[in-house]
Amino acid sequence: MANILVTGGAGYIGAHTCVALMNAGHNPVILDNFHNSSPQVLDRLERITGQRPVLVQADIRDRLALDCALEAHRIDAVIHFAALKAVGESAEIPVDYYSVNIGGLLTLIEAMTSANIRKLVFSSSANVYGEPASVPVREDFPLSAGNPYGRTKLMGEMILGDLAATQTGWHIARLRYFNPLGAHESGLIGEAPNGIPSNIGPYVAKVAARELPEVSVFGDDYDTPDGTGVRDFIHVMDLAEGHIAALDGIWAAPGLTTVNLGTGKGCSVLELIHAFEAQSGRRIPYRIAPRRPADIAQSYADPSLAEKLLGWKASRSLADMCRDTWRWQMNSSAAGEEDRALTG
Ligand code: UD1
C-alpha cells in the first residue's frame, strides 16, 4: 500500500482516480481548494469505498501546505490533477491559467524535490496535438496548442521532459487524455460543470433531463462519416484505472513515460446523441448549428502504446458511458442544486 498525494482529487477525474486507488489498495491523500468541486465528494468517496481519504484543503501554489502534506502523510508518489481546464475561459483569463497550471506544477516539483519524492503522474490532454494531420493519433505526432489552456499542458509536458532529462531519479508519466465521459457506476460521483456545460457529454445529459431544451450540434459539414465532429470518448473509470497502471509502470522504471489514454474508437456527435437516447430512454432534441470556432474535425487515439508499456486498455463501452452519465444526472437532478455542485 502506497500513500499517494492526489492534487485536485475532489474534481471529476481526480475523484474517480481516488476510487481506483482505493480499489487497488492504495491510500489517497487529496489536496484540493474546491475551486471547481465540493467537500461533499469526500462523503461520496467514503460511501463508495468504505474509506475516507485524508483531505488537505489548499491551493496547489501553496508551497508550505505542499511541504507539510508531503511530509505529514509520508507521500510516496503524486498524481497531479489540480489545474484550470476550460479552453474558452483560458482565452479570457490566460494569466490565471499560467499561474495555476504552470505556477502550480513548478511549486509541486520544488516541494517534491525538497521532500525527495520523485514519482509523478501528470494530467495532460489530447489538446497538445492541436489539429492532428491524421487519425488515429500517435504519441510521436507533432505537438501544438491553439489556446492558453493547451499551452499550459504543452509547457507542463516540456517542463517535465526537461526535468527527467536533467535530474536523475525521477519517475514521470505524462498522460494525454482524450474525451472523458461517464461517472462511477454508483451514480454518486460524476462531472458537474458550473453553469451551462461546454462539453458535449454533460450538455446531452442535461437535455435528456429536460434542464436544457436542445443540443446544438456544432457543424455537420466536417469531413467525417456523418459530417459531425468525431472524438474518442473514454469512460472516466477506464481513465482513472489508467492512472493506477501508470503509477505501477513508473514505479520500477525511472525516466519519462508518455502515453495516450483513449479507446482508439472514434464516435461522432450524432452517434453520441443516439447512444444517449438508447440508454436514457429519452428523446434528445437537437439542431444543426454553425461550427464552433477552433474546433477540430476528428481526434481519436492510437492507444496501443499504453497497452504495450503499461498493460492498460479501456474496457468500457459507449453504452456504459451513457448509462453511467445518465444515472449520475438523475441522482444529481433529484438531489438538487447542492449536489450539482459536487464535482467540477
Ligand atoms: C474540449 C476541449 C479540450 C478538452 C476536452 C475534454 C475545446 C476547444 N477543447 O475538447 O481541451 O480536453 O474538451 O474535456 O473546448 N459539440 C457540439 N455541441 C455542444 C458541445 C460540443 O456539437 O454543445 C461538439 C464539438 O463541436 C465537438 C464535440 O462535440 O465536435 C466534442 O466537443 P467537447 O465535448 O467540447 O470536446 P472537445 O472539443 O474535443
Side-chain angles (χ1 to χ4, degrees), residues 3 10 28 45 94 105 108 116 118 122 150 159 163 183 185 203 205 253 268:
N3 298 325
L45 290 175
L105 176 63
L108 176 64
N116 202 24
R118 300 279 191 277
F122 176 67
I159 290 166
L163 177 65
E185 62 172 13
Y203 202 104
S268 77

Side-chain angles (χ1 to χ4, degrees), residues 217-219 222 224 226-231 267-270 296-298:
V217 174
F218 297 144
Y222 285 107
T224 58
D226 65 19
T228 66
V230 166
R231 295 293 185 274
C267 168
S268 77
V269 173
L270 289 182
I296 58 177
Q298 55 180 344

Side-chain angles (χ1 to χ4, degrees), residues 87 125 127 149 179 198-200 216-218 231 269 292 295:
V87 171
S125 166
N127 209 285
Y149 163 77
N179 291 57
S198 57
N199 292 127
I200 189 71
S216 296
V217 174
F218 297 144
R231 295 293 185 274
V269 173
R292 185 170 64 179
D295 264 0

Side-chain angles (χ1 to χ4, degrees), residues 145-162:
N147 54 72
Y149 163 77
R151 281 191 273 280
T152 66
K153 290 295 168 187
L154 194 48
M155 285 177 200
E157 285 207 7
M158 291 165 144
I159 290 166
L160 293 172
D162 287 339

